[in-house]
Every structure is written in structure tokens, then in C-alpha cells.
Amino acid sequence: MSLPQIIGYSLLTLAVWKLVQRRSRKATALNVAGPQKDHWLTGNLKSMFLDGFERCLEVAADYGGAVKIHALFGEEWLYVSDPRALHHILVKEQDIFEENDAFLSCNQLVFGEGLISTLGEQHRKQRKMLNPVFSTSNMRELLPIIQTISHQLRSVLVANIPENTSVELDVLPWLSRSALDCICEGVLGYHSNAIDTGSNNEYTEAVRMLGPFIARTMLFRPLVPVVMHNFSPYWRKKIVDWLTISWLPTQTMKNFRELRRIVEVMDSASRTIFQEKKAALGLPCPTVLESSSETRGKDIMSIMLKSNASSSEADRLSDAELLGQMNVMIFAGLETTTAAVARALYMLAKHPLVQARLRAEINDAMIAYQTSDVHSHANLSVELPYDVLTSLPLLDAVIRETLRLYPSLPVLSRRTTEAASVPLQFPVRSASGKEEISAVPVAKNQRLIISILAANHNQAVWGEDASDWKPERWLNSSQGNTPGLKDGVRYTGVYSSMMTFLAGSRSCIGFKFAEMEIKDVLATLLPCIHFALPSEPDESGIIKEIHWRMDGFHSPVLKAPAGDGETPQLPLSMRRCAN
């Protein structure tokens, strides 16, 4: 064994030892009930967080809004979905309940100093700068950019559908490419042209592959803060160098090497785009970026740079922080929006009557707008203005219900910076089962899992049909039935009283952009295309059955024997609609 190998393995051993040592310092045992360990080493983690959609809901239903679950090395985590507890954690006492070290350290390595990598005053300063950037007025300016890309997506899909018949197509790659174009054009003002499969762009391909390779290298996440806290930048780089050379031939290490390459490509391209943006700032007609004329100056990055330049020295963000925001927004906007659009199309394919009603609503809105606009043409290619698009009742209801039941990010993690108490809206049973607990004491460094999924399915707040996909629940709100409000109790999420986009200062800052994009894609596709679930047997006589895996994000896969249950894909049957 060579010297670099010996050093590399020694450093890995040290990192693992530090991790075990840290986790072996037992905090005060959690005095709430919860499931027994599934495994002596991994506890409940595998059953709950590796394709554990049903299990996550089952645990909350059985034990309530505060549950003790078992993690690695016997560590106990608090699994939380209670409305008062989440308000306390995310809003009232958010400085006590911070993102965990592994999350922050990994995000800093991959994305830089963006919103999801910072805490405290630095995070507040960044948030203050970015909040106005996502205003409604800016979203109105961005909508034409999104509409152009949605029309390109529609053209690609329609071109694959023969006349007077249906065809089965995996729509997921196209939805991903469309989302990437939307986020690159809308955030960067950068013409990625990802929807053109003949376009070979190393940067956009790296962005598309980042999410899957982050998921494949989750094994390393707990080790990252140990290395970050115990080694200088020089030695951190050396460790990565040793871990990414070819003498570690396992698939996991190959994935790690590829992740490093992806991050380096993204970093290099992001810096180039950023510098070109800065050079173009203030010019009446910037030409250094490969962007369309309607994009220039309207994209999020341009607005952010102008706002930052006009801020006081105390409020101004550094170039490193601005780069961090850029990288975070690109990644977050791609993965979450792709999953949301895919799930919405899947649910509409599963519920054809709702799909037909929604298509009629969109068509009626287009006809009404054409009638009122003397400049529009009499066809279904009209681009609805922002106020019309965002006010369509059934479209809004379909999006809200889909985002509620299937949040793109189902769980998040927090840790305590000091000993605290978590108050509960609905009491739970103690660990012994002999008493009722209305507040859960937690020690310093206690790990908590925020279950957005369980909160959005909570029958005590959403009713007995909480886990049913019912867009009409949002249509009935005009009759005094407010979804997510029961006996005066509701969640404090920034979006429709649900927790999909969180609450407080760490809530999703770009949810208005995401909602607008999802609505526009559906409003563009549905008038022309009818979607259905696969129903025709393949060459082997097997009808494809779609399953949604929950591993960090939701992703559609095919159940065996038609698929391997792991490769993301969403085959839908499509036929043209008569105009």
C-alpha cells in the first residue's frame, strides 16, 4: 500500500472515529413514545428515509406530532410535525433550532456561501437583500421568458404524437430540460437551450446531474463537518484529492469523483457567467451573455446585482455570497420544480375528469382573453398574462393540492444550539406510555427531523381526508371552508397554511417563481395534449406501473418487472386534443 493510500485511509478512520465519538456523548433521553429500532446500527433511518413515504406518515399517525426515532449508533432523533412545535422551531425560536452541521458544510462545499449554507446575521443580511428580488412585479416581468420555454416544451411533445392516435413517452427528461431552461433564463439570463437535445453544454449537463450524484454520495455527508472542523483548508483539499484518485475503485468512490468533477464544472462556469453579468451591469444593451433580447436585465441575477450595487456598504453582499445565491437558486429551482410538474401531470393522468375540467378552464380563459385583446390571434397558443394565469381557480387548486400532498422536499433537519423545550399543540404519550406530554424537553445538540410530509397530511388540521388528492377542497374555501384550518389551529407556512415551502426566515424564497412556472407549464400543455397512465402492455405483455420513490426528493420510477424501481422515469400516454 502506497503512502497516499495509508494517509487517506488513516484520515477516513479518524473522521469516522470523531463522528462516533461525537454521537456517543449521550444527550438526555427523549421522553416521548416512538417505534422500536428496525436495525441495531441504522435504527429507523432506512425504513423511514429510503423510499419511506408510507412509513413516515404511519409513524406520525401512530405516535403523534413529536416522535422518538432511532438513528445511527443508537442516537435518538425527534421527528416533528405538530403545528405549534413547528412554529416554535422555525419562527419563534429559530436561532435555537439551526440547520445541522452536515447540511451546512456540504452545501458550502457544493454551492458556496448561499442562503442554505449560512446562519445568523449573515443569513439575515442575505435574506434582506433577496426578498425584494422575488416580488410580484418582478415575476410579471419574468413570465414571458417562462412562456417561451413552455411553448418550446409543448412543441417537442406534440411533435412526438402521431395524428389520431396516442403514444407513450417518458416525459421526465423533457420536464427536467424545460425546468433547467426556465431557471437558467429566469435566474441567470443565460440561454442554456437544454430542451434542444442536440445542444452540448457542459455547464447545463453538470447542473442536471448534480442532484442525482448528491443523492448517490449521501454516505459522505456525516463525515464532512468532522473534516471541516478538524483540518485546515490545505488538508481538506488533500483529503479530497486522495479520495478521488483511481486507487479507490468502488462505485461509491466513482460517484464521489464524478460529483467533484460536476462541482468544479459548475463553479468554473458560474464564475464566468457572474463576471460577465458584472461587466454587463449598467450597459444599455449588454451583449456579453448569450441571452435572448427579452431576458436581458429582467433576470433575477441582474436585479440582484443592481440592488446590491445600490445598497449601503453594511448591507452589500460579497461576490462569494452572490455566487452562492446563484448556485443555490439554479439547483433548487431545477430539482423541486421538475418533481412538482411531473407529479401534477401524473395526478391529472390518474384523474381524467379533473384533467378535462382543468383543460376547459384554461381554454375558456384563453378565449376570454382573446376576445378582450384586439391584438391576440384566435388560437390556443395565446400567452395568458400573469394576473389571469395566477387567478384560475381550478389550476390554482390542482397546484396547491399537489404541493400539499407531495412536497418536493418531504423532510428537513435541525439541531439545538442549547437546551430547550418544544411545545405541542396536540399532546403525545411519554416514552413509558403512562403520561401525556404537552412539551418535549430537548438537550443541546439534539437532532430534530421536520416532517413537512406528515404536517401536510395531519388529519387533526386538514381533516379525515387529509391524504386524499382533492383539489376541490381549495375551491370550497370561498364558501367559508378554509383548508388547513380546524378548530382555530393551522400551520404557519408561507404558502397556503401548508409547510411545503416552510415558514420563517428559512422558508423558500423562490416559491412564487416556482408556482408561476408550474402553472404556466400546465396551462401551455393541457389545451393541446391529453395525458393518461400507461395502459398498453409492452413486448413482454407487461403494463408499466409507476411508483414514486421518496429518497430526499420524490422521483417517479417503474415497478418491477417493467423497471428496476430506481431509474427515474415517467412514461405517460399522450394524444393530441382537438382545438
Side-chain angles (χ1 to χ4, degrees):
M1 184 179 289
S2 66
L3 180 59
Q5 287 177 296
I6 295 172
I7 295 174
Y9 282 122
S10 299
L11 291 173
L12 260 183
T13 303
L14 175 61
V16 173
W17 177 77
K18 284 276 190 180
L19 179 65
V20 174
Q21 184 185 51
R22 187 177 66 181
R23 295 192 173 190
S24 66
R25 299 186 192 117
K26 292 293 290 180
T28 305
L30 290 170
N31 186 29
V32 290
Q36 296 294 315
K37 291 181 183 178
D38 298 317
H39 188 273
W40 66 270
L41 177 62
T42 59
N44 308 115
L45 297 187
K46 185 176 180 180
S47 65
M48 291 186 68
F49 305 122
L50 290 179
D51 198 17
F53 181 90
E54 296 296 339
R55 182 58 173 157
C56 280
L57 294 179
E58 181 183 277
V59 166
D62 289 346
Y63 298 98
V67 186
K68 176 174 63 179
I69 62 173
H70 301 278
L72 294 173
F73 307 114
E75 189 177 4
E76 296 176 354
W77 292 356
L78 187 64
Y79 181 74
V80 187
S81 58
D82 180 90
R84 182 177 294 173
L86 292 186
H87 176 76
H88 187 82
I89 293 167
L90 296 172
V91 181
K92 189 176 181 181
E93 299 291 350
Q94 55 187 293
D95 290 337
I96 297 176
F97 300 89
E98 292 185 342
E99 302 276 13
N100 69 80
D101 287 348
F103 180 85
L104 294 168
S105 298
C106 290
N107 288 340
Q108 188 170 10
L109 285 176
V110 174
F111 304 112
E113 297 182 42
L115 277 173
I116 61 173
S117 311
T118 57
L119 295 171
E121 187 55 38
Q122 185 182 15
H123 184 273
R124 283 187 282 272
K125 180 180 173 182
Q126 292 180 1
R127 188 86 187 194
K128 180 182 177 182
M129 171 64 65
L130 291 171
N131 273 330
V133 171
F134 289 92
S135 66
T136 300
S137 61
N138 286 337
M139 295 304 102
R140 281 195 181 92
E141 291 291 317
L142 284 169
L143 179 58
I145 299 168
I146 305 303
Q147 288 172 326
T148 299
I149 296 164
S150 296
H151 280 258
Q152 292 173 347
L153 171 64
R154 183 186 64 192
S155 297
V156 168
L157 296 182
V158 169
N160 280 278
I161 307 173
E163 293 282 356
N164 304 319
T165 187
S166 62
V167 66
E168 186 180 291
L169 180 71
D170 179 11
V171 300
L172 192 63
W174 297 111
L175 298 181
S176 176
R177 290 177 178 276
S178 171
L180 180 55
D181 279 344
C182 285
I183 204 72
C184 283
E185 291 268 11
V187 171
L188 303 183
Y190 174 73
H191 189 57
S192 58
N193 201 25
I195 209 164
D196 179 4
T197 54
S199 175
N200 186 16
N201 187 308
E202 190 179 29
Y203 172 64
T204 54
E205 189 60 25
V207 173
R208 287 183 64 240
M209 296 308 298
L210 179 60
F213 275 93
I214 286 178
R216 294 174 196 174
T217 53
M218 290 293 285
L219 172 68
F220 292 95
R221 176 167 281 198
L223 303 177
V224 172
V226 178
V227 174
M228 295 282 281
H229 295 327
N230 290 279
F231 297 97
S232 67
Y234 172 83
W235 285 108
R236 291 178 211 160
K237 185 177 184 303
K238 282 294 184 184
I239 292 172
V240 173
D241 289 341
W242 288 325
L243 291 178
T244 54
I245 59 178
S246 57
W247 54 263
L248 288 173
T250 65
Q251 186 60 51
T252 298
M253 299 314 298
K254 289 178 182 177
N255 291 338
F256 188 55
R257 287 193 289 274
E258 180 62 13
L259 177 61
R260 184 187 190 185
R261 188 196 67 80
I262 289 170
V263 170
E264 288 173 347
V265 169
M266 284 184 58
D267 180 66
S268 176
S270 297
R271 289 178 186 277
T272 300
I273 295 169
F274 179 71
Q275 292 304 324
E276 291 175 343
K277 270 290 181 188
K278 288 188 68 178
L281 187 62
L283 296 178
C285 186
T287 57
V288 287
L289 284 177
E290 187 187 352
S291 60
S292 61
S293 58
E294 65 179 351
T295 305
R296 293 172 187 154
K298 298 178 182 179
D299 58 89
I300 296 297
M301 198 67 193
S302 291
I303 297 169
M304 184 167 61
L305 283 171
K306 292 173 185 175
S307 176
N308 193 58
S310 63
S311 298
S312 66
E313 188 66 33
D315 292 333
R316 199 170 298 158
L317 303 185
S318 67
D319 283 1
E321 289 176 294
L322 292 169
L323 260 173
Q325 315 314 327
M326 170 179 159
N327 291 330
V328 167
M329 286 187 281
I330 291 293
F331 173 71
L334 173 62
E335 295 293 336
T336 57
T337 306
T338 299
V341 175
R343 179 72 80 158
L345 287 177
Y346 170 81
M347 297 308 295
L348 290 170
K350 193 175 180 180
H351 298 272
L353 294 180
V354 177
Q355 183 181 166
R357 286 171 54 205
L358 180 54
R359 182 176 294 108
E361 178 184 79
I362 296 167
N363 287 341
D364 289 346
M366 288 181 172
I367 293 170
Y369 179 63
Q370 289 166 350
T371 303
S372 65
D373 186 357
V374 297
H375 300 292
S376 66
H377 302 285
N379 58 58
L380 293 179
S381 294
V382 65
E383 296 176 345
L384 294 174
Y386 181 87
D387 291 330
V388 175
L389 178 69
T390 56
S391 62
L392 295 178
L394 184 56
L395 178 61
D396 189 66
V398 166
I399 300 303
R400 288 176 192 263
E401 187 70 347
T402 303
L403 291 174
R404 180 186 71 85
L405 279 182
Y406 311 108
S408 296
L409 205 59
V411 293
L412 290 171
S413 178
R414 292 290 187 272
R415 67 170 181 85
T416 53
T417 59
E418 60 184 67
S421 180
V422 180
L424 302 176
Q425 183 72 48
F426 305 106
V428 298
R429 304 305 301 176
S430 65
S432 65
K434 296 179 180 178
E435 57 182 318
E436 208 171 58
I437 303 293
S438 58
V440 184
V442 289
K444 182 178 180 180
N445 289 322
Q446 174 65 55
R447 183 80 168 266
L448 300 92
I449 301 297
I450 295 170
S451 182
I452 298 171
L453 180 68
N456 287 355
H457 286 249
N458 189 346
Q459 293 187 11
V461 174
W462 296 96
E464 293 183 359
D465 61 353
S467 292
D468 297 335
W469 190 77
K470 289 186 174 181
E472 58 267 24
R473 78 173 76 239
W474 300 98
L475 301 176
N476 296 334
S477 60
S478 60
Q479 304 170 10
N481 301 318
T482 304
L485 176 63
K486 189 174 181 181
D487 300 326
V489 178
R490 70 190 310 164
Y491 285 95
T492 55
V494 294
Y495 179 70
S496 300
S497 298
M498 67 181 79
M499 296 306 298
T500 300
F501 297 109
L502 285 183
S505 67
R506 298 194 79 89
S507 60
C508 175
I509 199 167
F511 76 90
K512 290 181 182 177
F513 182 93
E515 183 190 27
M516 177 181 71
E517 181 185 338
I518 298 165
K519 286 184 175 182
D520 185 67
V521 171
L522 295 187
T524 303
L525 297 183
L526 289 178
C528 299
I529 305 173
H530 173 83
F531 295 91
L533 297 180
S535 59
E536 296 295 326
D538 61 15
E539 299 82 3
S540 304
I542 298 167
I543 297 176
K544 295 173 182 175
E545 187 176 356
I546 298 166
H547 168 67
W548 286 81
R549 283 186 64 93
M550 191 186 84
D551 300 327
F553 295 105
H554 291 280
S555 60
V557 299
L558 287 182
K559 288 185 178 180
D564 59 10
E566 294 184 2
T567 304
Q569 52 187 307
L570 181 61
L572 293 177
S573 176
M574 302 187 300
R575 61 175 170 80
R576 300 189 187 192
C577 295
N579 292 340

